[in-house]
Amino acid sequence: MFKLFAVTLPGLEPYTRQELVQLGIQTPEKFDLTGEPIEESGGVAFDASFTDLFRANLYLRTANRVLARLGEFHASAFSELRKKASRLTWESYLKPGQEVSIRVTCHKSR
């Protein structure tokens, strides 16, 4: 299973989640008191198989891309980011020598 994130425009998260449910792709095990999955700002997180990853990319109309989350960690400097990112299991996803593009999100930065 992959941890994925369907990126969408703000405000379209409920529609993206609905599309994922209609496709039969499991949504994450994050639920509010009503039992509904909670959308994140700018998209919907979900767990899916390799096949479902392709189906989501092909059939989601409200998402503009689907990202794979390979890891999550705290880094306060670029050197720490490089060091921790190198510990991820890149060989499971990329061929030797293939370039890597890393997108970083910063929360509550000073």
Side-chain angles (χ1 to χ4, degrees):
M1 291 296 265
F2 293 93
K3 293 202 174 296
L4 304 173
F5 187 74
V7 180
T8 188
L9 293 171
L12 294 181
E13 297 93 347
Y15 303 105
T16 303
R17 183 184 60 79
Q18 184 179 17
E19 285 185 331
L20 287 167
V21 170
Q22 288 173 347
L23 287 172
I25 298 172
Q26 294 294 318
T27 51
E29 295 186 47
K30 295 182 186 175
F31 297 100
D32 63 12
L33 296 176
T34 64
E36 291 296 313
I38 299 171
E39 295 93 11
E40 296 180 28
S41 178
V44 179
F46 62 101
D47 296 333
S49 67
F50 196 64
T51 303
D52 288 336
L53 166 62
F54 286 115
R55 288 180 54 230
N57 268 312
L58 186 61
Y59 295 114
L60 286 177
R61 295 171 293 161
T62 57
N64 56 23
R65 64 186 177 277
V66 178
L67 305 175
R69 291 180 166 171
L70 303 181
E72 184 176 328
F73 50 83
H74 173 77
S76 56
F78 285 111
S79 58
E80 187 179 5
L81 173 64
R82 262 188 240 108
K83 185 177 182 179
K84 290 183 177 180
S86 70
R87 294 181 189 151
L88 297 173
T89 57
W90 296 106
E91 62 276 1
S92 299
Y93 308 99
L94 304 172
K95 296 177 186 176
Q98 188 173 354
E99 289 187 25
V100 175
S101 175
I102 298 175
R103 176 164 288 157
V104 179
T105 304
C106 184
H107 297 284
K108 298 181 183 177
S109 176
R110 290 184 221 157

